[in-house]
Amino acid sequence: MIILPAIDIIDGSPVRLYQGDYGKKEVVAESVLTTAETFAKTGASWVHMVDLDGAKAGKRINSQLIAETARTISSKVEVGGGIRTMADIEYYLHNGISRVILGTAAIEDPVLLKEAVQKYGNKIAVGLDCKDGYAMGAGWLKGSSMYYTDFAKELEKIGVSTVIFTDISKDGTLSGPNFAMLAELQKSTNMNIIASGGIRDITHIQKLTEMGLYGAICGKSIYAGSLSLKEALAEGEGKC
């Protein structure tokens, strides 16, 4: 299982939110680039980055900083937030990004999603962000009528190979991922599943690894010191 340390960005700085609430923002480091370099030097094969300003505004805002970081570090980078057009996707893929995550666009623009998957295959992932079991978009500010497993099945039909699952109620809480929903998602599809939100310590990494998930995104736990990235990498990727 790959471990993806996370860098969420607002106003050019690494931050963490609590349950997706922009009003509960905590700046967790001084520099996006320095933080990413630290993750890479620790041995992370991937870094997960989110343009939170972009997610809220519906357009790329921190993309230049993200691209510069991706070109600088040795780790692969996946990016989400504010990616709404083929031009957005191509900007990132042509500027050092290895995988682009569609969230709101996957919900609101299935034509774009199909076109992107047909053209770029496994370089396209979908962020499956849920509240009370239903998919959310627009930086977690806008709901939908799609139940998460139904949405996942539709994504698989389109050809999506990787989904990043977040139970928003768990995000930033360190209370553990929603293991039950993750297990249900595993039963519903054959896609690569990346767990995100709520991971606190190595016991959560161990459980996710035992479930056979493709990946786990760790953010607040690393910044808070409750999870050692080095230990998580040894547990997750050491047992691939």
Side-chain angles (χ1 to χ4, degrees):
M1 183 177 75
I2 62 170
I3 305 296
L4 302 95
I7 304 176
D8 293 350
I9 305 168
I10 290 179
D11 296 332
S13 296
V15 303
R16 293 305 297 164
L17 304 183
Y18 182 80
Q19 296 182 337
D21 187 342
Y22 281 72
K24 296 177 180 177
K25 176 187 75 174
E26 176 191 3
V27 177
V28 292
E30 288 186 10
S31 163
V32 168
L33 179 57
T34 301
T35 303
E37 287 176 330
T38 299
F39 291 157
K41 288 173 184 174
T42 304
S45 57
W46 283 86
V47 173
H48 173 85
M49 302 182 75
V50 180
D51 180 354
L52 286 176
D53 292 313
K56 193 173 184 180
K59 60 183 180 181
R60 290 184 287 114
I61 292 180
N62 293 288
S63 53
Q64 190 172 342
L65 172 60
I66 291 169
E68 178 190 345
T69 302
R71 289 193 297 263
T72 302
I73 66 173
S74 56
S75 309
K76 294 178 180 178
V77 173
E78 65 174 25
V79 173
I83 302 167
R84 302 286 197 273
T85 67
M86 283 299 289
D88 293 332
I89 294 167
E90 287 163 356
Y91 171 85
Y92 279 126
L93 293 179
H94 295 164
N95 281 279
I97 305 302
S98 297
R99 186 159 58 213
V100 169
I101 305 160
L102 298 180
T104 303
I107 296 172
E108 297 183 353
D109 194 346
V111 174
L112 171 67
L113 177 61
K114 288 175 186 176
E115 183 183 355
V117 170
Q118 286 170 358
K119 188 170 183 180
Y120 294 113
N122 62 11
K123 292 182 178 180
I124 304 297
V126 170
L128 188 49
D129 305 323
C130 300
K131 188 172 185 179
D132 301 323
Y134 290 87
M136 298 284 286
W140 298 354
L141 302 173
K142 185 176 180 181
S144 79
S145 60
M146 288 183 291
Y147 195 65
Y148 80 106
T149 49
D150 295 331
F151 186 33
K153 289 173 185 175
E154 291 302 314
L155 296 175
E156 190 168 26
K157 286 179 187 176
I158 289 170
V160 174
S161 59
T162 302
V163 291
I164 296 156
F165 174 81
T166 308
D167 177 354
I168 294 170
S169 70
K170 297 284 190 178
D171 188 70
T173 65
L174 300 180
S175 62
N178 193 320
F179 294 108
M181 290 181 77
L182 284 164
E184 191 62 32
L185 190 59
Q186 278 186 300
K187 290 180 189 176
S188 302
T189 78
N190 292 308
M191 291 184 288
N192 294 327
I193 299 169
I194 299 176
S196 175
I199 294 171
R200 179 185 66 245
D201 55 29
I202 197 66
T203 64
H204 292 154
I205 298 297
Q206 288 166 342
K207 187 166 182 178
L208 293 170
T209 303
E210 288 165 6
M211 289 175 69
L213 294 186
Y214 167 70
I217 292 169
C218 308
K220 187 173 182 178
S221 57
I222 293 173
Y223 297 109
S226 62
L227 177 68
S228 156
L229 176 57
K230 188 174 182 180
E231 190 178 356
L233 290 167
E235 176 64 33
E237 301 193 14
K239 293 185 178 180
C240 284

